[in-house]
Amino acid sequence: MKKCYTLITFLLLFSACGSQNETILATEQTNTIETNSKPKLVIGIVVDQMRYDYLTRFESKYGEGGFKRMMREGFNCKNNHFNYIPTYTGPGHASVYTGTTPKYHGIISNNWYDKETKETVYCAGDENVKSIGTEDKAGKMSPHLMLTTTFSDENRLFTQMRGKTIGISLKDRGAILPAGHTANAAYWFHGKEEGTWITSSFYMNTLPNWVTDFNTAEVAKSYLKEWNTVYDISTYIESGTDDNNFERGFMGKDKAIFPYDLKTLSKDNNGFDILKATPYGNSLTTDFAIAAIEGEQLGMDEITDVLTVSYSSTDYVGHNFGVNSKEVEDTYIRLDKDIERFFKYLDETVGEGEYTVFLTADHGAVNVPAYLQSVKVPAGYLDYDSRKEKFQAFLKDTFGTTDIVEKVSNNQVFLSKSKLKELGLNLHNVEQALVDEQISYENIAKVYTATTMNSTNFTTGIEVLLQNGFNQKRSGDVIIIDDIAHIAYSKKGSTHGSGLNYDTHVPLLFLGNGIKQGETYNKTVIPDIAPTISALLGISFPNGSTGCVLGFVIK
């Protein structure tokens, strides 16, 4: 197992990465054509909430030019995992592109409690910038909370800012964090009554003409139509029944069953926002990515450009309908077609063999616990209200006040250092008292202190993932791990965030210029992606990178 966890153990990291690469090089069989030129364009694709088994479970429904092309012509890392907790969208996108974990890049969640301002902050929120393309505050975003560079930043620096970087996603964080600090632009979708692509003044003061033209063409409006299955629904045997008790669906429709009249339903589901929770949101993203390549002339010269594309609709659909739904299956069948369409466009414009693409996810998802219970698999739901009530009673009985706790956020307890000092309480003693109390609660599996995270070097188990996700300045004083397949969520739909296989095991596919053909079952981790692309391009690694170069992937 690799031990590439800290910046100060560079020699050990190099040795571990090197030995693994040699092992795989000796065992992998490849059939490739050598090339000496760098790719004109690097495309990073993140599929939001894509479990690895979606590649295999729906494989018979995929065409030959999308996922299957990547598996057939490129390199498939079949045992790829996140190596930290929590597995959320913000940390996931940051980790893919920075080559490190929240411990260093600082994006510890989508939202977290700021110990200095005493307020909850959003991973991409920035009150110091202005919205561009809308009057709504949805554009007040930037990457300023991310502490390290991305490989896209390093490519900009290496090329003296001549190589472009464009980030695209329905979600602001899915566009902003991958594109990094030096990006030419990041664009995200603003739904509601507008249905337009927007950005912020962090990047520019006005939208480029090609973005304005795209918005004016009302492409989003064209997708407010019926959503039915691509193929006869009776052939969707890879997923559960369409009519069941485990899916939320949309407001204005009694049952979560096909078909869905999106134009009619949009009136009760925040207008254009309904597209986010359908496969058409991915189609719209593909349309915009193609427009970006044309509008920015990406990949049209010998200086490498970077395009980051995050497909967000898969996450919205998964949250709404759950892992085992026919809606999820149809969404992936349609995404496969969009990716094939995208690749055909790249072949025709940038040129086949002139670009490099990787595809991964920002996290997986747990099956709906109510469904798991129905088939006798241990699972359940967390009662945070009763847990909070019990915890507050403990604080009053033990310390005479609840004020020693400032916030409970992301399964972390944040203590008030000023209140502890006022009461003459020792921080470490209080931390341990909270651990001893919380571990006695129902559905809590493990509890650790910040002191433990800072003083113990874990090498195995979920503790390693906790440590990789722990940022000393931003994380809490006590960290809680819930039972397996237990979530704080509605009993319909599903979520993610744990360090368990259903959340950590995600695809990692490489294709194109400089990439070998092959596959491996050797374990790889998300932070390996950025240094691998950096090595392929011959540029500096992201400045906080702790991942390994996957040398067996590169020609």
Side-chain angles (χ1 to χ4, degrees), residues 290-309:
I290 290 172
I293 292 172
E294 183 175 345
E296 298 290 343
Q297 291 292 286
L298 300 179
M300 299 304 166
D301 57 29
E302 299 305 314
I303 301 173
T304 302
D305 298 320
V306 176
L307 175 66
T308 75
V309 180

Side-chain angles (χ1 to χ4, degrees), residues 414-432:
F414 292 79
L415 293 171
S416 170
K417 307 305 189 295
S418 60
K419 193 65 178 179
L420 293 180
K421 184 177 181 180
E422 176 188 324
L423 297 175
L425 295 172
N426 178 273
L427 171 63
H428 304 315
N429 291 341
V430 173
E431 283 181 345
Q432 191 57 51

Side-chain angles (χ1 to χ4, degrees), residues 253-496:
K253 185 173 172 66
D254 293 337
K255 290 186 175 183
I257 57 174
F258 283 104
Y260 298 94
D261 181 350
L262 301 182
K263 185 175 182 180
T264 300
L265 291 171
S266 67
K267 299 172 185 177
D268 295 322
N269 293 272
N270 294 317
F272 286 103
D273 277 344
I274 195 172
L275 293 177
K276 298 177 181 180
T278 77
Y280 298 137
N282 292 331
S283 299
L284 178 63
T285 302
T286 305
D287 296 338
F288 192 73
I290 290 172
I293 292 172
E294 183 175 345
E296 298 290 343
Q297 291 292 286
L298 300 179
M300 299 304 166
D301 57 29
E302 299 305 314
I303 301 173
T304 302
D305 298 320
V306 176
L307 175 66
T308 75
V309 180
S310 178
Y311 286 110
S312 304
S313 289
T314 43
D315 184 66
Y316 290 108
V317 174
H319 278 294
N320 196 356
F321 298 97
V323 168
N324 201 44
S325 64
K326 294 197 186 300
E327 286 81 359
V328 160
E329 179 169 359
D330 193 68
T331 296
Y332 276 90
I333 292 170
R334 290 178 181 273
L335 175 59
D336 180 65
K337 294 180 181 296
D338 279 319
I339 291 174
E340 180 172 5
R341 172 165 66 96
F342 190 33
F343 287 170
K344 285 182 178 179
Y345 174 80
L346 290 168
D347 289 342
E348 294 168 359
T349 56
V350 180
E352 188 172 2
E354 298 288 352
Y355 62 89
T356 302
V357 59
F358 69 82
L359 183 147
T360 189
D362 57 347
H363 52 73
V366 64
N367 224 315
V368 178
Y371 167 71
L372 293 177
Q373 289 173 333
S374 75
V375 292
K376 302 181 180 179
V377 174
Y381 295 89
L382 304 171
D383 187 348
Y384 276 178
D385 289 337
S386 63
R387 187 185 288 184
K388 178 180 179 181
E389 183 179 343
K390 189 174 182 179
F391 185 47
Q392 288 185 328
F394 161 78
L395 293 174
K396 287 181 180 179
D397 292 343
T398 307
F399 304 105
T401 179
T402 63
D403 291 345
I404 65 168
V405 173
E406 286 184 348
K407 188 77 171 180
V408 178
S409 172
N410 294 313
N411 266 19
Q412 298 181 17
V413 180
F414 292 79
L415 293 171
S416 170
K417 307 305 189 295
S418 60
K419 193 65 178 179
L420 293 180
K421 184 177 181 180
E422 176 188 324
L423 297 175
L425 295 172
N426 178 273
L427 171 63
H428 304 315
N429 291 341
V430 173
E431 283 181 345
Q432 191 57 51
L434 267 55
V435 168
D436 294 339
E437 171 67 12
Q438 290 276 346
I439 196 63
S440 70
Y441 293 174
E442 185 178 14
N443 299 136
I444 289 182
K446 291 177 179 288
V447 190
Y448 289 96
T449 67
T451 300
T452 300
M453 290 293 106
N454 288 324
S455 61
T456 305
N457 183 29
F458 294 106
T459 58
T460 61
I462 204 166
E463 290 79 8
V464 174
L465 279 68
L466 275 177
Q467 200 160 45
N468 285 340
F470 182 84
N471 182 281
Q472 190 172 6
K473 294 194 73 171
R474 292 181 175 179
S475 297
D477 299 287
V478 174
I479 305 171
I480 301 163
I481 297 294
D482 294 314
D483 281 346
I484 295 173
H486 282 69
I487 60 175
Y489 207 68
S490 69
K491 292 190 176 181
K492 295 186 177 184
S494 192
T495 193
H496 49 85

Side-chain angles (χ1 to χ4, degrees), residues 152-161 163-165 182 184:
S152 44
D153 283 323
E154 296 299 335
N155 185 66
R156 290 273 286 160
L157 294 169
F158 183 85
T159 62
Q160 301 301 312
M161 302 297 172
K164 288 186 176 182
T165 297
T182 62
N184 299 83

